[in-house]
Amino acid sequence: MAPSASPATATTVHTPVTAKSTKFKHPLDPLTADEINAVSLAIRLYTTANTPIKAVRFITCTLVPPPKKAVLAALGIPLTPGGQPEAPTPIVRKAESDFLDVVNGGTFNAILSLEYGTWNVDTCELVAEGSEPQISPEELAFCEHVVRRDPTVQALAKEVGVLPEQIYADGWAIGYDDRFPKHTRLQQAFVFARYSEHENLYAHPMDFVVVIDSLAEKVVQIDFPPTYKRAKDGSAELSVSSTEPCPLSEDSFTESKRERIPPPLKSFDFLPDLLQSDPTHKPRDDIKPLHVLQPEGVSFTMDGNVLEWQKWKMHIGFSHREGIALSTITYNDDGEIRPIMYRLSLAEMVVPYGAPEFPHPRKFAFDSGEYGMGTMANELSLGCDCLGQIHYLPGTYITHSGTPFIIKNAICIHEEDAGVLWKHTDYRPGGRHQTVRSRRLVVSMVCTLANYEYIWNYHFYQDGNIEVEIRLTGVLQVYVAGQDEPNPYGTTIAPNINAHNHQHLFSVRVDPMVDGLYNSVVESDIVPLSAPTGSKENFAGNGFVVKDKVLKSQVQDGARDFDWARERRWRITNEARTHDSSGKAASYAIMMKGGVLPLMAHTDSWVARRASFAHKTLWVVRDKEGVDGSRMWPSGKYVPQTREEPEDSVGRWVKDGNGSIENEDIVLYLTVGTTHIPRPEDWPVMPVEHVNLLFKPNNFFTKNPSMDVPGTNDPMSKPAFNGANGANGTNGACCSY
């Protein structure tokens, strides 16, 4: 039931909250635990004094970033190449919180300001019906409790030999299901059996999917997917005539025209102590220790959340939604501090599954917008998740009660050897050679989304490159399969275990400031020379050229496809600064070929309507800063339970008639990912799969900026074996002679 009244922006009596002294070193520092406590208390006092709200459930609480120009002025970063920084202006620290009215229903958004040590509620507004904030970790955990205690679920489990205490469930966002009212806060639950403590529950999937009302804390629907049988002609035949949903008024199991399928009983464990009970398992015993040593310590420094490493400097933030957020990234180019990116982060992602029979099409998780990468971040372990000498940063988010939850080791910072940086050998007799090894700085975190893990690595290199590397691992999302049941939309990865085909599509948000805030995007196509072989212009037929196009109009040029035939690529440029030799604009090229993929779902499908970012490889929009910050979320601010493309989404923004994206304050959204056709080798835990995105300086530096990196003569390196093939190795001659 929706609230009867909206607490609009108010000036009525409420008690302000005086916070503990807040001394942030950087204007983009995330809210502290003390600040989250103070903000939630201020909201409670405000709603009590000014609204009919009786009970509050906090979902999010985060910093509202100050205006970009104010941040850059505070840091002394100019807006234009060679220009002077703007004069600093006062920065008001602001916070934003989404919370639920537990009694009456409805979502509210509050924005607060900290002035003279006091948090004041500036606005507190009811969010439009059907707009739900992300699902909290507490709601996901409680979903399992709701499912386990439900009498109907218990009875269905008992029919296939599963006891109530053996029932486990992964809570997910509902995806899309218009059989339910918009205002009901829902989760769907995928149900499993667990026959002993800590075993791999995903080895025992059950044959129904539960839907719960998160606020009422009750089961509202149980869906049974239909099954496939082998037809006489060898094709797979569905047990029902249509893949559409069963009406809520009908019994789902009866309508599915199938028999119950008990969960498989065979264990597929991954924990070392549990694997000991498997007589076929024998750990490898021929692996010698490999250590990462830095006897003189690390080469980076930290000042709060500000990191400096060699010539790089940046701010490392944390948000409940993005996880890592890197800001104000600059490079010291022989004494000149050159800005490159204002902000770099994961803005959204979607994982659409490919089985068309209902309710499987509901499986398309927006893992960032529906759950939040920050709230799903792991507590990282020294020597396991990160090797070498490590510095950790915490992550903090709000709980239902308004208190902070602190992930002590949420973000890992360390250095890695990255192979050869550059090398050349003069092959002539008596010639010399030089080898320089590459070192990279890594800023990383690991997030667990139910069965899946995502590892987020941001790599910074000595040659000015920036790489975003996404590693995917964890356990496949699985469903039980009948004996010898055909599986046209997935793979039977183990007896009676079906893993559906699916995709992972990520939207990486780039707020550039290449040599200043006003940038353009140039699209480059590499094409054969049009003149034919044998012509005067192209006699040998080998010529090819680069054709550049500046993206000028947001409406006409703001949504771009990759073109394999033309080796298409893009550059973020600053036309106000050109290279002395090439005459071309200073830029950073976007290298994303290895991660480009098409969305397999139809353009008018449920997932495509909600995830407009997945339609195109590159989006370029003009930024707009409002009371809650910049344009941020390509699938909308409120993602759970959306049914169409939100108004505040990238697909709508490009249609905005505000005109030019040339030499403007622009924001880019890059779509990369992978299509996963499951393999038995992905079971029971999937080896990591990599998705990479590279930003590469192009006409930005005068020459190779890593020429000043010294060669390395590592005294710890030595021959692996004594004898003819190892004794001749020497230290000191590998890099230069």
Side-chain angles (χ1 to χ4, degrees):
M1 177 178 175
S4 57
S6 167
T9 303
T11 56
T12 49
V13 176
H14 72 281
T15 305
V17 174
T18 300
K20 293 183 180 180
S21 178
T22 299
K23 294 181 179 179
F24 55 88
K25 293 185 176 181
H26 191 287
L28 297 177
D29 281 351
L31 296 180
T32 65
D34 287 337
E35 287 179 311
I36 288 175
N37 273 322
V39 167
S40 64
L41 178 57
I43 291 172
R44 285 190 184 280
L45 294 174
Y46 176 89
T47 54
T48 299
N50 297 279
T51 77
I53 299 172
K54 303 301 180 185
V56 166
R57 176 183 294 177
F58 290 97
I59 302 296
T60 69
C61 184
T62 191
L63 176 77
V64 175
K68 280 189 267 193
K69 289 185 178 180
V71 172
L72 295 176
L75 300 179
I77 298 174
L79 303 182
T80 57
Q84 293 297 314
E86 293 192 343
T89 57
I91 292 179
V92 177
R93 194 154 170 85
K94 292 190 173 186
E96 179 181 21
S97 178
D98 293 312
F99 59 91
L100 306 177
D101 181 341
V102 178
V103 176
N104 300 307
T107 299
F108 293 85
N109 174 265
I111 294 178
L112 303 88
S113 298
L114 177 63
E115 298 186 64
Y116 306 107
T118 299
W119 283 102
N120 294 291
V121 176
D122 300 331
T123 61
C124 184
E125 298 176 344
L126 177 65
V127 176
E129 184 183 50
S131 298
E132 295 287 339
Q134 68 183 55
I135 300 171
S136 70
E138 291 158 284
E139 288 176 306
L140 292 170
F142 194 71
C143 176
E144 185 170 78
H145 175 69
V146 172
V147 171
R148 184 180 291 152
R149 75 182 182 187
D150 182 78
T152 304
V153 171
Q154 291 180 359
L156 290 172
K158 185 177 180 181
E159 289 178 3
V160 289
V162 178
L163 301 175
E165 62 271 20
Q166 295 172 327
I167 299 171
Y168 284 75
D170 281 355
W172 279 43
I174 189 65
Y176 180 102
D177 197 331
D178 60 3
R179 300 178 302 171
F180 297 96
K182 288 184 178 181
H183 60 261
T184 305
R185 188 166 171 84
L186 300 168
Q187 289 184 64
Q188 61 179 327
F190 299 102
V191 188
F192 305 88
R194 177 173 259 172
Y195 296 115
S196 64
E197 187 180 17
H198 302 308
E199 74 150 346
N200 179 11
L201 60 91
Y202 299 108
H204 316 297
M206 298 185 71
D207 62 349
F208 56 90
V209 181
V210 179
V211 179
I212 74 160
D213 181 328
S214 293
L215 287 179
E217 299 178 356
K218 66 179 182 179
V219 172
V220 295
Q221 174 67 11
I222 298 175
D223 289 312
F224 281 88
T227 60
Y228 286 93
K229 300 292 183 183
R230 186 72 64 190
K232 291 182 179 180
D233 62 0
S235 64
E237 189 175 76
L238 197 59
S239 61
V240 295
S241 60
S242 174
T243 60
E244 64 184 332
C246 167
L248 292 177
S249 59
E250 304 296 328
D251 178 72
S252 175
F253 178 67
T254 302
E255 293 298 309
S256 69
K257 298 179 181 178
R258 48 162 288 185
E259 297 177 350
R260 295 296 307 280
I261 307 174
L265 298 178
K266 181 176 173 56
S267 295
F268 285 94
D269 290 312
F270 54 86
L271 295 174
D273 55 324
L274 300 182
L275 283 170
Q276 290 178 1
S277 62
D278 182 355
T280 66
H281 177 71
K282 183 179 182 298
R284 301 184 189 190
D285 57 6
D286 58 349
I287 302 176
K288 303 294 176 61
L290 190 157
H291 302 291
V292 178
L293 302 176
Q294 292 181 277
E296 298 180 23
V298 299
S299 302
F300 61 86
T301 61
M302 295 293 302
D303 183 13
N305 286 66
V306 176
L307 178 148
E308 290 191 67
W309 179 70
Q310 298 187 40
K311 299 187 175 187
W312 292 102
K313 186 174 183 178
M314 69 198 74
H315 180 271
I316 304 175
F318 175 93
S319 80
H320 66 274
R321 185 159 177 170
E322 300 158 290
I324 294 172
L326 301 179
S327 300
T328 57
I329 301 170
T330 63
Y331 190 94
N332 186 335
D333 184 10
D334 292 332
E336 180 185 0
I337 306 302
R338 300 183 67 180
I340 297 172
M341 291 185 184
Y342 185 80
R343 187 179 178 96
L344 174 65
S345 66
L346 173 81
E348 192 53 86
M349 61 172 291
V350 66
V351 188
Y353 284 74
E357 68 274 16
F358 194 81
H360 297 311
R362 285 197 312 228
K363 291 194 297 188
F364 54 101
F366 290 79
D367 287 326
S368 178
E370 289 181 331
Y371 314 107
M373 284 298 157
T375 58
M376 298 296 155
N378 286 192
E379 182 90 34
L380 300 176
S381 299
L382 190 64
C384 299
D385 298 300
C386 307
L387 298 182
Q389 295 196 17
I390 308 301
H391 180 73
Y392 291 109
L393 289 176
T396 306
Y397 63 87
I398 199 168
T399 64
H400 284 177
S401 64
T403 58
F405 185 91
I406 301 173
I407 307 168
K408 184 179 178 182
N409 297 339
I411 299 173
C412 167
I413 303 163
H414 68 284
E415 295 171 286
E416 291 180 344
D417 180 86
V420 173
L421 177 61
W422 58 264
K423 176 185 176 76
H424 183 63
T425 299
D426 182 352
Y427 68 90
R428 295 164 182 83
R432 301 173 64 189
H433 76 230
Q434 175 74 351
T435 301
V436 175
R437 292 197 65 81
S438 175
R439 186 181 300 190
R440 67 186 181 191
L441 178 80
V442 184
V443 182
S444 64
M445 71 184 306
V446 182
C447 303
T448 297
L449 283 300
N451 54 296
Y452 232 89
E453 265 77 19
Y454 296 97
I455 303 169
W456 309 97
N457 292 327
Y458 293 85
H459 296 151
F460 292 84
Y461 292 88
Q462 293 160 306
D463 59 355
N465 284 355
I466 303 171
E467 181 184 37
V468 180
E469 181 197 46
I470 306 166
R471 299 186 184 183
L472 303 86
T473 181
V475 182
L476 293 167
Q477 208 290 321
V478 295
Y479 180 70
V480 65
Q483 191 65 32
D484 300 321
E485 180 180 354
N487 188 358
Y489 302 103
T491 305
T492 303
I493 55 170
N496 304 109
I497 297 177
N498 175 2
H500 290 136
N501 302 335
H502 58 281
Q503 295 187 284
H504 300 261
L505 295 103
F506 307 96
S507 181
V508 176
R509 182 181 183 272
V510 183
D511 190 344
M513 57 171 186
V514 175
D515 273 331
L517 201 57
Y518 305 107
N519 292 161
S520 304
V521 174
V522 175
E523 181 174 277
S524 295
D525 288 343
I526 303 173
V527 296
L529 201 61
S530 58
T533 302
S535 66
K536 293 180 180 180
E537 298 82 4
N538 192 22
F539 189 77
N542 63 307
F544 62 90
V545 294
V546 179
K547 291 189 175 181
D548 285 344
K549 171 186 176 181
V550 179
L551 304 184
K552 296 177 178 290
S553 166
Q554 182 168 282
V555 174
Q556 296 176 353
D557 303 324
R560 309 302 297 171
D561 286 312
F562 187 79
D563 190 329
W564 288 88
R566 293 173 173 263
E567 266 283 355
R568 179 166 290 172
R569 61 205 51 194
W570 295 277
R571 301 191 310 275
I572 306 167
T573 68
N574 192 319
E575 301 294 335
R577 182 165 187 164
T578 57
H579 194 277
D580 289 342
S581 298
S582 70
K584 295 182 178 180
S587 69
Y588 257 74
I590 303 169
M591 313 301 290
M592 56 192 303
K593 180 178 179 181
V596 172
L597 76 170
L599 176 66
M600 293 299 173
H602 289 322
T603 56
D604 58 352
S605 64
W606 294 351
V607 61
R609 296 206 302 267
R610 296 181 64 204
S612 60
F613 74 86
H615 290 269
K616 298 290 182 180
T617 307
L618 171 72
W619 302 82
V620 185
V621 297
R622 191 169 173 175
D623 197 13
K624 281 186 176 180
E625 292 188 294
V627 293
D628 58 351
S630 295
R631 282 175 161 167
M632 287 295 299
W633 316 118
S635 285
K637 184 174 183 175
Y638 299 104
V639 179
Q641 300 180 208
T642 54
R643 300 187 179 186
E644 299 293 338
E645 181 183 13
E647 290 295 328
D648 61 332
S649 62
V650 71
R652 302 277 187 175
W653 292 335
V654 296
K655 300 173 185 175
D656 188 338
N658 281 347
S660 176
I661 51 174
E662 183 182 14
N663 298 323
E664 298 287 352
D665 180 8
I666 56 176
V667 177
L668 284 65
Y669 295 88
L670 312 176
T671 306
V672 293
T674 183
T675 299
H676 193 175
I677 308 302
R679 314 168 298 156
E681 292 88 348
D682 293 328
W683 181 256
V685 179
M686 186 180 81
V688 292
E689 186 164 340
H690 302 251
V691 176
N692 296 78
L693 174 63
L694 184 68
F695 301 94
K696 193 170 187 176
N698 192 310
N699 296 287
F700 189 83
F701 296 108
T702 302
K703 60 181 181 181
N704 179 351
S706 65
M707 293 303 298
D708 56 357
V709 178
T712 302
N713 293 317
D714 179 22
M716 304 299 290
S717 296
K718 61 183 181 180
F721 309 105
N722 292 323
N725 294 325
N728 294 326
T730 59
N731 288 99
C734 63
C735 294
S736 179
Y737 66 84

